[in-house]
């Protein structure tokens, strides 16, 4: 097994793993150690990596099955790499972005909760980054769930929320998304992680439209309360990217957002996701017990 060091990134979430060159295949014990660090810290960071697309794909494949890209149709530049890759970039050729999610700020969300089986992991590799801004913020959804007032836990226990997304949106439109045209799926609000057994809050400002079964006003007020709680500094780590960073996050127990950055500076990251081999589960007691009352 490789000699690795695991160094927390913040009190809220995340750890850096040092001692690995991700171009080299990992032995089984090292894969297990990386997985365990990911379960413990929710997001893991490897710095100073020099990864081609094939390297990134080979590394990702050791942790799960690479998922179809999803989303709107891929750009020519994305397709030239693979069906599965997304380039997160504001770089334009002939006036058109070479990738996806090009410019500026983005609200908190997880990746693909509007699908039946949301992707468990996203692996984002930084190639070019602006001199300032364009940070990715990560909020720890275990801690967010655990620290909710008991009264709120009881009101939400056993409930589902509707997750919807318009691929072009980086901000939630006023009102709701049009479900006749955009992908959507009802998901548990409290979600049990299949590996850690811990319960997380599975909603986000960008993609959660409605708490199912509650009057509209109550649903809206509760969601606003949850979004504010999720944004609190004590749960959030802001990642300032450096070229060569490979970051892998767990969409089952975190949400992420992006800060604004200068539009005249280039930003390019390469992204893969992994299928989840476990179906989504409802959260554990006390959340579920409370629902029965
Ligand atoms: C993503 C994403 C944020 C960023 O790739 O899913 O939300 O910082 N990216 O670009
Ligand atoms: Mn995302």
């Amino acid at each position: 097994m490789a000699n690795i060091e695991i160094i927390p990134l913040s009190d809220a979430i995340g750890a850096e793993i040092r001692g690995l060159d991700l171009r080299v295949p990992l032995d089984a014990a090292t894969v297990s150690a990386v997985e365990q660090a990911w379960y413990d810290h929710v997001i893991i960071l490897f710095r100073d990596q020099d990864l081609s697309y094939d390297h990134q794909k080979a590394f990702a494949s050791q942790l799960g099955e690479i998922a179809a890209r999803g989303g709107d149709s891929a750009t020519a530049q994305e397709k030239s790499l693979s069906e599965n890759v997304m380039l997160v970039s504001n770089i334009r050729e002939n006036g058109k972005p070479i990738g996806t999610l090009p410019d500026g700020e983005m609200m908190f969300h997880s990746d693909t909760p509007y699908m039946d089986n949301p992707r468990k992991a996203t692996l984002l590799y930084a190639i070019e980054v602006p001199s300032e801004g364009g940070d990715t913020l990560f909020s720890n959804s275990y801690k967010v769930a655990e620290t909710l007032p008991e009264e709120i836990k009881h009101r939400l226990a056993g409930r589902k929320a509707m997750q919807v997304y318009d691929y072009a949106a980086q901000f939630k439109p006023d009102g709701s998304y049009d479900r006749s045209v955009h992908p959507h799926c009802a998901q548990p609000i409290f979600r049990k992680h299949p590996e850690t057994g811990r319960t997380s809050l599975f909603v986000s400002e960008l993609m959660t439209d409605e708490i199912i079964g509650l009057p509209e006003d109550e649903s809206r007020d509760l969601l606003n309360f949850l979004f504010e709680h999720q944004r609190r500094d004590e749960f959030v780590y802001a990642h300032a990217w450096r070229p060569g960073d490979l970051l892998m996050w767990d969409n089952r127990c975190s949400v992420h957002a992006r800060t604004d950055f200068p539009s005249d500076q280039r930003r390019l990251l390469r992204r893969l996701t992994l299928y989840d081999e476990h179906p989504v589960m409802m959260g554990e007691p006390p959340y579920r017990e409370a629902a029965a009352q």
Side-chain angles (χ1 to χ4, degrees), residues 12-71:
I13 189 171
E16 180 185 347
I17 299 184
R18 291 193 192 155
L20 292 179
D21 176 348
L22 300 185
R23 294 174 301 187
V24 180
L26 308 180
D27 60 65
T30 304
V31 170
S32 296
V34 166
E35 272 172 346
Q36 193 56 53
W38 188 51
Y39 298 144
D40 291 344
H41 297 279
V42 182
I43 70 173
I44 50 175
L45 168 69
F46 303 86
R47 296 210 108 136
D48 303 316
Q49 301 294 320
D50 183 11
L51 305 181
S52 66
Y53 170 66
D54 286 339
H55 292 134
Q56 186 175 354
K57 180 176 149 195
F59 172 66
S61 305
Q62 296 174 94
L63 298 158
E65 185 188 348
I66 293 177
R69 175 187 178 282

Side-chain angles (χ1 to χ4, degrees), residues 223-244:
L223 284 175
N224 286 337
F225 178 89
L226 297 176
F227 301 153
E228 205 170 301
H229 192 65
Q230 191 163 58
R231 280 196 297 268
R232 278 165 59 168
D233 286 349
E234 66 201 272
F235 307 129
V236 175
Y237 160 70
H239 185 64
W241 292 93
R242 299 198 318 225

Side-chain angles (χ1 to χ4, degrees), residues 101 106-107 109-112 122 206-207 249 251 256-257 271:
L101 307 174
M106 196 173 183
M107 275 181 172
H109 65 283
S110 62
D111 294 332
T112 71
T122 304
L206 184 60
M207 299 187 181
W249 63 82
N251 288 302
H256 56 280
R271 177 189 193 269

Side-chain angles (χ1 to χ4, degrees), residues 12 139-154 156-157 188-193 197-203 225-232 234-235 252-255 282-287:
S139 171
N140 185 328
S141 307
Y142 291 136
K143 292 187 179 177
V144 170
E146 283 156 14
T147 53
L148 285 172
E150 288 303 314
E151 178 248 346
I152 301 280
K153 285 183 187 167
H154 282 242
L156 296 175
I189 291 177
F190 292 117
R191 197 180 163 179
K192 182 178 166 179
H193 194 289
R198 295 177 69 190
T199 293
S200 63
L201 182 78
F202 196 52
V203 302
F225 178 89
L226 297 176
F227 301 153
E228 205 170 301
H229 192 65
Q230 191 163 58
R231 280 196 297 268
R232 278 165 59 168
E234 66 201 272
F235 307 129
R252 299 168 292 198
C253 49
S254 65
V255 290
M282 294 296 271
E284 286 247 275
Y287 311 100

